[in-house]
Amino acid sequence: MTTEPNTPDAAESSRSEHVPDSDTVTPVMEDYLKTIYELQYDRDGAVWTSRIADSLEVTPPTVSSMLEKLERRGLIHREKHRPVTLTETGENVALGVIRNHRLLETFLADYLEYEWDEVHAEADRLEHYVSDQFVDRLTAMLEHPSSDPHGDPIPDEALAAPTRSWIRLSEAEAGVSHRVERVRADGERLRYLADCGITPGVPVEIVERTPLESVEIAIESDPDHEPNSQVLPKRACERILVGPLPGNN
Amino acid sequence: MTTEPNTPDAAESSRSEHVPDSDTVTPVMEDYLKTIYELQYDRDGAVWTSRIADSLEVTPPTVSSMLEKLERRGLIHREKHRPVTLTETGENVALGVIRNHRLLETFLADYLEYEWDEVHAEADRLEHYVSDQFVDRLTAMLEHPSSDPHGDPIPDEALAAPTRSWIRLSEAEAGVSHRVERVRADGERLRYLADCGITPGVPVEIVERTPLESVEIAIESDPDHEPNSQVLPKRACERILVGPLPGNN
DNA sequence: ACAAATAATTAGCCTAATCAAATATAATAG
DNA sequence: CTATTATATTTGATTAGGCTAATTATTTGT
């Protein structure tokens, strides 16, 4: 469902003919669709031109003209000066790219010994250039993983995202231990959290909420040692998703 | 030494500034350089505009304008209406791409169960988008292979191609068994040769040369069975490279 | 209710890569 | 030593993606 780039393959292929290529989705378009999807579902709702511009590090006019193109291709719904939404087609393209991304991240971490915070940049590029065949074979090799190294769910071949219900660490009850399921951050922030021991699978517990929008938590990275205590801003705890601790229900 | 695409990374990176980008090598440029390298070393010498156009399936004017750009970037030497040659820089770029290509082919065949003739197309795309880090880790995982599934030598990290001396099967002495080392073909032709049992490692022997520019050969794909006999055109045998059969010197 | 501030769009231009048509150059055949 | 032919290059367009500056909508604060 992704790029599957032009395979001129068969003897004396096309060339010439100046195809306006009205239904090809380019890598850049894929990036826009993925960004729209993430803004729509992962943060709070409405997807405005300027939010897309910020995420992709381009200027608003650039986004405007791309949105026009995406609308003509039937990939988004748009009204002037209103937030955009994905069509079903557009959402499927986005999910395909996200699937590629998360599978690649898993591969990089499991087979190429990439660090937790290094996988993102590499996957962000390759996600647009791997063929469906490559992705199929890769999932088989990885034994059909359901989540990537950050705990993000990997859509299956039919693009159905395994929905599970996590809560935000910021909303967990104080004094109750939970298991880290997902850490939604990248770059420096991600590295910092990893250094604190916050990675999927680790038990954490809120010790105390301060009146200053920060939260003291206890992290049990290593079951044999005493928990590591850490004070994090509430905003950071909102991006750490946790679930029930198995055996400690 | 390859792409390592723009990593705006650090906070509030470039954007704007309208960089004419005078020393970036684009994926397309990499393709031209790789093609020039292959035409220069793998076939008979002189690299003309139209040969490049044929290989890349673009028109001669397109090649002309790209060659001008490559010359300005210091990647090729060129005089009007003369064949081009690579500068040292240009050759290094080409070798880097070839290294990426052959390593990817090896990975696809060894880990993702790609067929011998399927690896090329996938590697041809990905070769431009993998980072140096990716390639380094991949070589480690593959245990520093010295040749790809077709027997083509893989340049090492310093881009030195392991030179070995093969002879063409077409030039081998009749009645003497040799070992297939390299099969220089792609697509349909490659698939056909594979079906005949001609893959690296297999012992072959010229049975008889006909006066019609074709050659009868015996192929011992399976040591337990009797050799498979096949008549191939001489042109095909020129692209099958063989070496001495170990133990039968 | 209206001016000020904020956000989106339009207009016009740029680079990379491509093509077709026209032109120029080199090679070769009389 | 010209005339024909095969190549190469130049010219002028096109498409994709991007930018700046100017303009237009929308939202907000008084």
Side-chain angles (χ1 to χ4, degrees):
Chain A
M1 314 300 150
T2 319
T3 308
E4 197 63 278
N6 47 332
T7 329
D9 242 344
E12 218 29 51
S13 73
S14 48
R15 184 210 290 194
S16 63
E17 255 155 88
H18 244 281
V19 188
D21 243 346
S22 233
D23 56 63
T24 302
V25 179
T26 64
V28 174
M29 289 180 188
E30 289 181 350
D31 264 338
Y32 277 85
L33 295 169
K34 183 179 79 158
T35 298
I36 293 168
Y37 182 91
E38 286 172 348
L39 290 173
Q40 192 162 95
Y41 288 95
D42 292 355
R43 316 227 181 184
D44 24 289
V47 183
W48 301 92
T49 300
S50 56
R51 301 303 315 276
I52 302 173
D54 291 346
S55 298
L56 290 172
E57 302 192 76
V58 297
T59 59
T62 301
V63 175
S64 266
S65 68
M66 180 55 85
L67 291 181
E68 197 197 320
K69 197 178 304 179
L70 293 175
E71 188 183 26
R72 276 198 315 242
R73 295 263 205 297
L75 297 162
I76 61 172
H77 296 299
R78 186 173 76 125
E79 292 168 84
K80 296 222 160 129
H81 297 273
R82 299 274 75 204
V84 299
T85 54
L86 295 172
T87 61
E88 203 183 319
T89 315
E91 185 166 317
N92 284 340
V93 173
L95 281 167
V97 176
I98 288 169
R99 172 170 154 81
N100 292 356
H101 182 95
R102 295 184 181 165
L103 284 167
L104 283 164
E105 284 193 340
T106 306
F107 167 67
L108 295 173
D110 290 359
Y111 281 78
L112 297 190
E113 301 178 52
Y114 272 61
E115 291 305 317
W116 207 42
D117 57 288
E118 292 173 331
V119 293
H120 190 80
E122 190 84 40
D124 236 15
R125 217 168 340 100
L126 294 178
E127 65 190 7
H128 306 293
Y129 301 103
V130 291
S131 70
D132 287 350
Q133 182 181 24
F134 183 97
V135 172
D136 290 348
R137 303 282 171 101
L138 193 65
T139 47
M141 180 172 103
L142 299 171
E143 294 171 321
H144 304 273
S146 63
S147 62
D148 74 9
H150 310 116
D152 296 334
I154 301 177
D156 67 18
E157 208 169 344
L159 303 181
T163 44
R164 275 175 311 218
S165 50
W166 300 289
I167 62 166
R168 299 172 178 206
L169 176 56
S170 52
E171 286 155 12
E173 193 185 336
V176 178
S177 219
H178 288 79
R179 191 183 118 104
V180 174
E181 296 289 349
R182 228 177 136 176
V183 182
R184 310 197 41 59
D186 58 0
E188 210 178 352
R189 274 184 283 261
L190 183 56
R191 214 166 305 128
Y192 182 77
L193 293 174
D195 286 346
C196 297
I198 299 172
T199 58
V202 169
V204 291
E205 170 185 335
I206 291 195
V207 175
E208 191 188 359
R209 283 171 230 264
T210 78
L212 298 168
E213 296 289 284
S214 64
V215 181
E216 182 183 350
I217 61 177
I219 305 155
E220 291 177 54
S221 311
D222 183 340
D224 300 333
H225 285 61
E226 68 176 35
N228 169 16
S229 173
Q230 198 76 35
V231 177
L232 295 179
K234 183 157 175 272
R235 294 296 300 270
C237 293
E238 284 170 2
R239 310 200 52 91
I240 299 168
L241 305 184
V242 297
L245 197 62
N248 180 22
N249 200 351
Chain B
M1 310 299 148
T2 318
T3 307
E4 196 63 278
N6 46 333
T7 328
D9 243 345
E12 220 24 55
S13 70
S14 48
R15 183 208 294 195
S16 64
E17 257 157 84
H18 245 279
V19 188
D21 242 348
S22 233
D23 56 63
T24 302
V25 179
T26 66
V28 175
M29 290 181 188
E30 288 181 350
D31 264 337
Y32 279 84
L33 295 170
K34 183 177 80 160
T35 299
I36 292 168
Y37 182 92
E38 286 170 351
L39 290 172
Q40 192 161 95
Y41 288 95
D42 293 354
R43 316 226 181 188
D44 25 286
V47 183
W48 299 93
T49 299
S50 57
R51 300 304 315 277
I52 301 172
D54 291 346
S55 297
L56 290 172
E57 303 191 76
V58 297
T59 59
T62 302
V63 175
S64 267
S65 68
M66 180 56 84
L67 292 182
E68 197 196 320
K69 198 180 302 179
L70 293 174
E71 187 184 26
R72 276 196 315 237
R73 294 263 204 297
L75 297 162
I76 61 171
H77 297 297
R78 185 173 77 124
E79 291 168 83
K80 295 226 159 127
H81 296 272
R82 300 275 72 209
V84 300
T85 54
L86 295 172
T87 61
E88 202 182 321
T89 315
E91 185 165 315
N92 284 339
V93 173
L95 282 168
V97 177
I98 288 169
R99 171 170 153 81
N100 292 356
H101 182 94
R102 295 184 180 165
L103 284 167
L104 283 164
E105 284 193 340
T106 306
F107 167 67
L108 296 172
D110 289 0
Y111 281 78
L112 298 190
E113 302 178 51
Y114 271 60
E115 291 304 315
W116 206 42
D117 58 288
E118 292 172 331
V119 294
H120 190 80
E122 189 84 39
D124 237 13
R125 218 167 340 100
L126 293 178
E127 65 189 7
H128 306 293
Y129 301 104
V130 292
S131 70
D132 287 351
Q133 182 181 24
F134 183 97
V135 172
D136 289 348
R137 303 282 171 99
L138 192 66
T139 48
M141 179 172 103
L142 299 170
E143 295 171 322
H144 303 273
S146 63
S147 62
D148 75 10
H150 309 116
D152 296 335
I154 300 177
D156 66 19
E157 206 169 346
L159 304 180
T163 44
R164 275 174 310 219
S165 48
W166 300 288
I167 62 166
R168 299 172 177 206
L169 176 57
S170 53
E171 287 156 10
E173 194 184 337
V176 178
S177 217
H178 288 79
R179 189 183 120 104
V180 173
E181 296 288 350
R182 226 176 139 178
V183 183
R184 309 197 42 58
D186 58 0
E188 209 177 352
R189 274 185 282 261
L190 183 55
R191 213 168 305 130
Y192 182 77
L193 292 174
D195 286 346
C196 296
I198 298 172
T199 57
V202 169
V204 292
E205 171 185 334
I206 291 194
V207 176
E208 192 188 359
R209 283 170 229 265
T210 77
L212 298 168
E213 295 290 283
S214 64
V215 182
E216 182 183 350
I217 61 177
I219 304 155
E220 292 176 54
S221 311
D222 183 340
D224 300 332
H225 286 61
E226 70 176 32
N228 168 17
S229 175
Q230 199 74 37
V231 178
L232 294 179
K234 184 159 173 270
R235 293 295 300 273
C237 294
E238 285 169 2
R239 310 200 51 93
I240 299 168
L241 305 184
V242 298
L245 196 62
N248 179 21
N249 199 349

